[in-house]
Amino acid sequence: MSSRRYARGWGALSLAVGAVLVSTAAPSQSPDRDPEGERRVAASRDATAVVAVDGCAADGGLCSDPRHSVVLGGDRVLTGRPFTLGPKATGPVELALRTPGVLADVTLTDQRGHRIAGAQSADHTRWTSAAPLPAGARYAARLVVDGAGAGAARRARLDFRTAPMPAGERLTVTFGPEDGGTYGVGRPVTAELSRPVPEDVPGARRAVERALDVRSEPHVDGAWHWVDPVTLHYRPRTYWPAHATIRVHSGLDGIHIGGGLYGGPSRPLTFTTGARIEAVTDVSAHRMAVFRDGRLLRTVPVTTGKAGYRTRGGVKVVLGKEPLVRMRGDSIGIARGSTDFYDLKVRWATRVTWSGEYLHAAPWSLDSQGSEDVSHGCTGMSTEDAAWLFHTVREGDLVRVVNGYGKPMTPFDNGFGDWNLSWSEWLRGSSLAADATGTAGRPSAGALGPTL
């Protein structure tokens, strides 16, 4: 599009990139000089504004990029060659007014016409994008400069391109759960990265978190938590709302992560939540109460883990369901020949840990259900109750164990124990949270076989 289309009523506009931003259009002996652009600024007697463009925040505002300028004045437009931000200009883009006046309005759009989020400084002389801009893309900035001279506010447009990505492997992400499904309100969003992002790479984890967008209808506030260098989980402060729609999108494509690593394209995710189903097992009372959206559906007599095999306490999330599963004692370290050894085919098994804790039918312990704990860690009940529970719950539904004697459910190594962290503890695993103090590591995994 010809720049003459934007000529009427415009003032002079100078575009500077990198370390030269701290100067005005005065001549300089820097090797980054653009003498032609300086002559244009000097020759434009009705110049009303000088605006600097910087994309070097990731390098402390210091980049060795050449100066580029476009001068617009009066009823004609003088323009230099089209320019591209240099490869080191990988930080958020900043537009800064270097002459008297204010930036009354700034709109930055990408090549598809999508508006880029950003914020004005308190004195309205500086506008900064909320995040770095992807590499290899075109952008257009529309500015309204007020108070820069006599007459009405001046309007201007400038176009620029970010540097192309260098060759090399790209960081991509795979989201969970599966796209298009309906899950319980306890199912966190998971993000598995294609390459590790170490904590000690400056700004890298912040760049990743900024690019991973989660939105829900109805809206809830949430945060990412780094489980390890390749895994993040996202959850709200409390559980997801019932019957919500959650959309997850990666904006990593083209973003500079750090250390020469750039993001690549990833598939988005959309899923919904069902009713809020919660099974609450009171170990001391030997009863399990099942609720849907706060309404009691059924109370079930149960037996839980006996001494030496106590059922884990806290909040767990349904991981899956198996209508028939074989359970053996040697899968959790019980030797064959021991009085505790077992080898049984168990029906209507609802899994809540990877190490093999289930809620399942246990017809052999009917006399103990509702009165004592005799299992090896699972929650046993009648075949009728286990079948009913199996058909009532779905992946992501909540299972809470209270008033028990077992160790607490761990957050990440044995299922989705995310909800056992307080909100302040959760935020400490986020690189963007204001009170973040570190990254939680993933504990070692437990035994993989089912308990009984």
Side-chain angles (χ1 to χ4, degrees):
M1 182 181 296
S2 171
S3 57
R4 291 177 180 163
R5 180 175 176 179
Y6 305 100
R8 191 180 305 274
W10 285 9
L13 186 65
S14 172
L15 309 182
V17 181
V20 299
L21 281 179
V22 296
S23 66
T24 63
S28 168
Q29 298 303 316
S30 165
D32 296 335
R33 286 181 58 196
D34 179 6
E36 181 182 358
E38 292 171 1
R39 286 194 297 271
R40 288 173 179 168
V41 173
S44 182
R45 295 184 179 180
D46 60 347
T48 60
V50 175
V51 177
V53 181
D54 176 24
C56 301
D59 292 291
L62 300 176
C63 294
S64 56
D65 289 328
R67 177 181 296 184
H68 307 275
S69 64
V70 177
V71 179
L72 308 103
D75 58 357
R76 63 193 184 111
V77 176
L78 304 175
T79 179
R81 295 180 179 179
F83 73 92
T84 299
L85 296 178
K88 291 186 178 180
T90 57
V93 164
E94 180 182 273
L95 307 175
L97 185 63
R98 298 300 184 191
T99 47
V102 295
L103 293 173
D105 186 59
V106 176
T107 302
L108 182 65
T109 55
D110 63 17
Q111 57 204 30
R112 296 173 296 178
H114 296 163
R115 188 165 182 168
I116 306 300
Q120 288 265 32
S121 61
D123 60 1
H124 285 258
T125 63
R126 189 183 309 270
W127 183 94
T128 306
S129 64
L133 302 183
R138 297 189 305 273
Y139 298 90
R142 292 173 175 83
L143 314 174
V144 178
V145 181
D146 212 352
R154 303 293 181 143
R155 300 179 181 272
R157 167 177 168 148
L158 62 93
D159 298 276
F160 63 91
R161 181 189 292 270
T162 50
M165 284 186 293
E169 186 178 351
R170 302 285 180 250
L171 179 71
T172 58
V173 59
T174 301
F175 295 117
E178 291 188 10
D179 185 58
T182 298
Y183 301 88
V185 300
R187 181 49 161 99
V189 176
T190 58
E192 295 291 334
L193 305 178
S194 61
R195 292 187 58 178
V197 178
E199 189 176 9
D200 58 358
V201 177
R205 290 193 171 185
R206 293 177 60 86
V208 171
E209 280 191 60
R210 277 195 299 258
L212 302 182
D213 183 55
V214 181
R215 301 186 183 190
S216 69
E217 299 172 7
H219 171 77
V220 290
D221 292 325
W224 288 102
H225 184 106
W226 287 85
V227 176
D228 59 33
V230 296
T231 309
L232 298 90
H233 286 191
Y234 184 100
R235 50 155 273 205
R237 181 189 292 266
T238 54
Y239 308 123
W240 295 108
H243 311 292
T245 299
I246 294 95
R247 294 181 174 87
V248 189
H249 169 77
S250 170
L252 284 172
D253 196 11
I255 293 296
H256 181 247
I257 307 302
L261 179 64
Y262 282 77
S266 301
R267 305 184 85 176
L269 164 70
T270 300
F271 68 95
T272 57
T273 59
R276 174 171 170 166
I277 303 293
E278 186 172 14
V280 182
T281 299
D282 187 330
V283 174
S284 63
H286 308 288
R287 291 286 187 275
M288 181 179 69
V290 182
F291 300 86
R292 175 187 286 126
D293 292 331
R295 181 173 64 87
L296 179 64
L297 298 180
R298 184 179 290 202
T299 299
V300 176
V302 298
T303 182
T304 61
K306 61 185 177 180
Y309 303 94
R310 295 299 189 186
T311 303
R312 296 169 182 84
V315 182
K316 305 160 194 176
V317 173
V318 172
L319 302 175
K321 300 187 295 182
E322 301 169 56
L324 184 67
V325 59
R326 183 181 178 186
M327 298 186 178
R328 301 193 316 272
D330 51 7
S331 68
I332 60 169
I334 301 176
R336 291 180 178 271
S338 167
T339 56
D340 276 330
F341 183 78
Y342 55 88
D343 187 348
L344 295 169
K345 291 182 178 179
V346 177
R347 301 197 64 192
W348 308 121
T350 299
R351 182 188 281 268
V352 291
T353 73
W354 297 125
S355 62
E357 184 181 322
Y358 290 84
L359 292 75
H360 63 76
W364 55 86
S365 64
L366 281 175
D367 290 343
S368 299
Q369 293 165 19
S371 59
E372 60 179 329
D373 297 320
V374 297
S375 84
H376 292 86
C378 289
T379 299
M381 63 198 78
S382 71
T383 300
E384 178 188 352
D385 287 334
W388 174 84
L389 181 69
F390 185 94
H391 291 102
T392 299
V393 301
R394 57 163 51 96
E395 181 182 341
D397 282 339
L398 302 164
V399 175
R400 188 156 53 95
V401 177
V402 301
N403 299 326
Y405 319 102
K407 295 180 180 179
M409 176 70 176
T410 51
F412 304 116
D413 70 317
N414 201 14
F416 294 130
D418 306 52
W419 307 102
N420 295 291
L421 294 179
S422 68
W423 186 238
S424 61
E425 290 172 326
W426 185 264
L427 291 180
R428 284 198 287 272
S430 167
S431 296
L432 295 179
D435 61 344
T437 58
T439 301
R442 171 179 283 182
S444 59
L448 298 180
T451 59
L452 185 66

